Amino acid sequence: VPFPNLVFIDPLSGNRNSVYCHDGLIRSAMFTKNATKIVSCGSEGKIIVWNAETLEIEMELLGHEGSVLSVSVNEEGSRIISCGEDATVRVWNAEDGSPLRLMMAHKDPVKFCSYAKSATDTKIITCDVAGRVHVWSTVVEVLNSLLRRFADDLSCVTTTSDSMLLAAGCSNGRVMLWDTVERENIWEYAHHTGRVEAIAFNTLRSLLVTCGADGRVVLSYVNDGKQAMVFDGSQEPVMNICFSPDDERIAGTSMDGKVVVFETESTEPAPVLTLETGAGRAVSCVWSPNSKTIIGGCNDGSLIVWSASTGSVFSALNGEATVTCLSVDLVGKVVAAGNVLGRTILYVLETSEMLCELRSNPYPVREVVFNQETTRLTTMCTSQAITWDLATGYKLRVFDFVVDKNRLFKSVPDSQHATFCHWGTILFDHESETAVFDMVPMDDPLLRSHYLSETRSIVSGNTGVKRIMVWSAADNPVPDKLHTTHDAITSCHFS
């Protein structure tokens, strides 16, 4: 209201109290958690934090150029976000008022901002006066900062299921753990003598396992980074690693085509099982949801299903091309295998029969993942992601990421989901079916478009249900005047 600016009403007694606090209109005001503080913003460009009992000013946050139109506080009461006529979204520390993040994507004044109503959710929604709504991911911002800082060193990344912790392996053998909320490095150790090839958390997020080019498998404690056990994986590099869903065992594939299995509580460095395919060479592996079987994908296109307790072969499924990735549904009945031909084959594990074959990805499939209801499957390659309806085998949506040398898309894209890759990184989150951009600064005179070459996946948690694809942009001298934003936008909606 105009004057006095801020009015308080006791809903039980009906008593009213008011205070003059801003030089002009108050645009927005709200209570923090437990109603101990009040945050307000006004036309003069200030954000004021009040003591809800004494109505005394505790902090004034300055930074916006023009009116601040909206403020919001997260569920924990540790962060404040604001937006205004300067078309910026700002994140503040609620404890000391220090600025944490400046996000610029809107071209028009931003009239509304809000945190997701969840203590574990890390998304922010904003809306401008032109009707554009943006959803921001704060976890992706941390990941993007890491990718910018360690672009030449990062070799693998993973997050916990709640996205609170992020672990990264480096080409020099170092392993880092980051707090995505506080944006702080918790610890960093050199656990390997060569490149770290894969990294994974256990379900309870108490242990972290890494494997690398030195052939070792290192089990570390999450709280302090100290080694719990060092296993002798293979004389050859161990290329991927994963915990069993019950956290009792660890499985990984080595360059010599074998699958090695370790017990988490074991004090012996040797594997308890070494699984061999016979003819082909295993290039990837995945656990069944009940932790009783291990499925391995081979370079001859076949899939081998082993007993996780005895190492005996349950069944062998035939394929036509080298398997690049595997995924099992939450029930453990269907396995999806992507191959180098851009095709994904689905098998029924109980009967060993082929359910269907999905063909459309123009390049080798780098990641396949089911949704939780096993009604949809997302297949991803370096140029596009496709969401399929498993009941009919039809495409539901296609997301193109790159253009060809003639600056044309490989296929006609959806006009609202066409994306260009600049000199930076693009991530694709299959859950929200959105691309996340990490661009160079907007004033950089050397903007470039690139083809997306190397692809990595980020697996959140131990279930493998949530995965994020990371595309690394390779060098390309082709200039480009197109540019979107240098911050992390997970989706954009138009009214």
Side-chain angles (χ1 to χ4, degrees):
V1 296
F3 302 101
N5 302 74
L6 205 54
V7 177
F8 307 90
I9 302 175
D10 188 333
L12 297 180
S13 63
N15 295 333
R16 297 168 62 92
N17 194 4
S18 59
V19 62
Y20 179 86
C21 56
H22 288 271
D23 297 331
L25 294 176
I26 287 186
R27 297 292 187 173
S28 176
M30 68 174 300
F31 287 99
T32 60
K33 186 178 181 181
N34 300 327
T36 58
K37 297 180 181 180
I38 300 170
V39 182
S40 63
C41 63
S43 299
E44 85 282 33
K46 290 182 180 180
I47 301 165
I48 301 179
V49 181
W50 302 78
N51 186 302
E53 295 183 0
T54 64
L55 298 183
E56 294 181 353
I57 296 177
E58 295 188 355
M59 290 183 295
E60 289 188 2
L61 312 181
L62 302 175
H64 282 280
E65 299 177 2
S67 297
V68 184
L69 301 180
S70 178
V71 292
S72 181
V73 183
N74 65 347
E75 289 289 305
E76 296 178 348
S78 59
R79 297 288 184 267
I80 299 172
I81 57 171
S82 61
C83 59
E85 290 184 346
D86 57 359
T88 65
V89 180
R90 299 171 187 261
V91 182
W92 313 80
N93 188 327
E95 300 297 327
D96 56 14
S98 59
L100 299 177
R101 185 71 173 166
L102 169 64
M103 300 180 289
M104 301 175 62
H106 296 272
K107 296 181 180 180
D108 299 289
V110 187
K111 65 179 181 179
F112 174 79
C113 62
S114 177
Y115 270 98
K117 302 301 180 183
S118 169
T120 58
D121 206 325
T122 56
K123 289 185 172 60
I124 296 170
I125 189 170
T126 60
C127 175
D128 62 21
V129 296
R132 288 182 293 267
V133 177
H134 289 84
V135 181
W136 308 74
S137 171
T138 55
V139 173
V140 170
E141 292 172 20
V142 179
L143 178 58
N144 283 340
S145 298
L146 283 177
L147 291 172
R148 281 193 293 265
R149 181 178 175 186
F150 304 101
D152 297 332
D153 295 327
L154 287 185
S155 55
C156 53
V157 180
T158 187
T159 68
T160 54
S161 55
D162 58 4
S163 300
M164 304 293 283
L165 296 175
L166 185 148
C170 302
S171 299
N172 59 5
R174 300 188 69 84
V175 180
M176 302 181 291
L177 185 70
W178 294 79
D179 185 329
T180 60
V181 177
E182 300 297 332
R183 291 172 171 79
E184 295 178 348
N185 179 239
I186 301 175
W187 52 257
E188 181 177 350
Y189 289 106
H191 285 328
H192 294 270
T193 58
R195 174 186 169 98
V196 182
E197 298 293 348
I199 188 169
F201 284 100
N202 68 341
T203 304
L204 299 177
R205 76 174 204 175
S206 59
L207 295 172
L208 184 72
V209 65
T210 57
C211 63
D214 56 4
R216 302 195 307 168
V217 175
V218 179
L219 190 65
S220 308
Y221 296 108
V222 170
N223 57 352
D224 56 12
K226 295 182 179 179
Q227 294 181 358
M229 187 60 193
V230 179
F231 300 105
D232 297 330
S234 172
Q235 298 296 326
E236 299 291 332
V238 180
M239 301 307 295
N240 58 61
I241 202 77
C242 55
F243 279 97
S244 60
D246 59 10
D247 289 341
E248 294 182 358
R249 282 162 293 182
I250 301 168
T253 56
S254 60
M255 284 289 289
D256 56 7
K258 299 177 182 178
V259 177
V260 288
V261 182
F262 306 92
E263 291 184 352
T264 307
E265 301 294 334
S266 176
T267 57
E268 297 294 328
V272 294
L273 286 175
T274 300
L275 310 177
E276 300 186 23
T277 62
R281 179 172 58 86
V283 294
S284 61
C285 67
V286 66
W287 288 89
S288 62
N290 59 9
S291 303
K292 293 184 178 180
T293 58
I294 301 173
I295 301 102
C298 304
N299 63 341
D300 60 358
S302 62
L303 270 64
I304 308 297
V305 183
W306 291 283
S307 167
S309 57
T310 64
S312 59
V313 177
F314 279 157
S315 59
L317 312 174
N318 296 324
E320 58 180 357
T322 300
V323 177
T324 55
C325 53
L326 293 170
S327 181
V328 182
D329 69 330
L330 288 179
V331 182
K333 292 184 177 181
V334 180
V335 59
N339 61 34
V340 295
L341 300 180
R343 303 171 184 175
T344 302
I345 304 176
L346 278 71
Y347 299 91
V348 179
L349 288 175
E350 293 180 353
T351 61
S352 300
E353 64 176 333
M354 187 178 77
L355 186 62
C356 64
E357 183 179 29
L358 308 175
R359 305 187 180 191
S360 269
N361 287 104
Y363 298 105
V365 180
R366 297 298 185 93
E367 198 64 68
V368 290
V369 57
F370 291 93
N371 67 343
Q372 294 192 15
E373 295 78 18
T374 320
T375 57
R376 297 182 180 184
L377 180 75
T378 301
T379 62
M380 296 173 254
C381 68
T382 55
S383 66
Q384 67 177 199
I386 303 175
T387 301
W388 304 82
D389 183 355
L390 294 182
T392 61
Y394 292 153
K395 298 178 189 177
L396 294 178
R397 301 180 74 176
V398 179
F399 301 87
D400 291 286
F401 300 117
V402 294
V403 294
D404 58 20
K405 293 182 179 180
N406 296 322
R407 308 180 65 81
L408 299 173
F409 278 93
K410 299 292 183 180
S411 59
V412 179
D414 185 334
S415 60
Q416 294 186 357
H417 296 91
T419 61
F420 292 85
C421 175
H422 291 270
W423 201 348
T425 304
I426 286 184
L427 298 89
F428 179 80
D429 185 347
H430 75 94
E431 279 196 340
S432 56
E433 295 184 344
T434 52
V436 180
F437 297 86
D438 170 27
M439 301 300 182
V440 294
M442 298 178 70
D443 56 354
D444 193 318
L446 298 176
L447 281 177
R448 299 288 185 268
S449 279
H450 297 276
Y451 300 105
L452 301 173
S453 56
E454 182 184 354
T455 309
R456 292 172 290 176
S457 65
I458 301 173
V459 180
S460 177
N462 191 30
T463 61
V465 174
K466 181 178 180 182
R467 304 188 187 186
I468 301 176
M469 298 296 295
V470 179
W471 288 269
S472 177
D475 289 336
N476 190 326
V478 180
D480 188 7
K481 297 180 180 179
L482 296 170
H483 184 69
T484 52
T485 174
H486 65 282
D487 280 301
I489 303 176
T490 56
S491 57
C492 180
H493 308 271
F494 296 88
S495 59

